Amino acid sequence: LLTLATFNVCGLSQSVKRHDLIRDCYVYDVDILAIQETKCKTFEDTSIDFVDSSNGSNPKSNCKYRLLISDQKHSLQAGLGFVISPKVNQYVTSYHQISDRVCYLDLKIPVGENCVRFCRVVNGYAPTLPDSIANPKLATTYY
């Protein structure tokens, strides 16, 4: 089972917030978390360690999650990214940013002997209705 989720993080510049996000992915067993509104300026592809001290010697208790954050070219109000679990990270073949509001991951997942499935996970952050009314071109460009 592959678990996907999405979350508006309302900013992700503080390390404590990043670690809380990783902890939640671990606790809820989320494999790929699409994140919106990171408000981060630059591209990041980093690993974040998570140690679950409550699980003793559980092999899953020390994990490296991958955090991908898109750079923002036009605004600091948006920003996208993904949190990828160690279980799924090995199947990620590429990451592409289309705009400040759209990005995607490509995966190649083995499903049996000599058989693979290709999967694309798209992350989109649409403009809010008030922003679209104030600036119709913003909504037109997105859609």
Side-chain angles (χ1 to χ4, degrees):
L1 178 67
L2 183 66
T3 305
L4 306 174
T6 183
F7 187 54
N8 183 325
V9 295
C10 299
L12 202 57
S13 59
Q14 297 174 337
S15 64
V16 68
K17 200 166 186 181
R18 293 176 181 212
H19 284 280
D20 288 347
L21 194 62
I22 299 301
R23 182 201 60 227
D24 289 347
C25 287
Y26 175 83
V27 168
Y28 296 107
D29 206 20
V30 174
D31 295 310
I32 298 175
L33 178 66
I35 54 177
Q36 299 84 35
E37 208 173 301
T38 63
K39 299 182 182 179
C40 295
K41 289 182 186 180
T42 57
F43 174 77
E44 290 183 55
D45 183 353
T46 188
S47 292
I48 298 179
D49 291 319
F50 175 76
V51 178
D52 183 2
S53 58
S54 68
N55 274 346
S57 63
N58 181 346
K60 188 182 169 189
S61 65
N62 189 0
C63 305
K64 280 191 182 289
Y65 282 77
R66 184 176 180 187
L67 176 64
L68 283 165
I69 297 178
S70 298
D71 61 334
Q72 291 187 64
K73 296 169 181 56
H74 303 293
S75 166
L76 277 181
Q77 297 306 310
L80 302 170
F82 290 97
V83 176
I84 307 161
S85 76
K87 178 177 93 176
V88 174
N89 189 44
Q90 62 188 322
Y91 306 123
V92 175
T93 58
S94 63
Y95 170 81
H96 299 276
Q97 179 179 352
I98 305 300
S99 69
D100 284 357
R101 293 182 172 272
V102 179
C103 64
Y104 66 88
L105 283 177
D106 283 333
L107 296 95
K108 184 178 177 181
I109 304 170
V111 292
E113 198 171 313
N114 300 321
C115 186
V116 296
R117 295 285 185 250
F118 295 93
C119 177
R120 177 167 286 166
V121 181
V122 178
N123 186 1
Y125 179 58
T128 62
L129 183 58
D131 287 346
S132 296
I133 291 169
N135 183 359
K137 186 178 179 186
L138 185 64
T140 303
T141 302
Y142 177 79
Y143 293 105

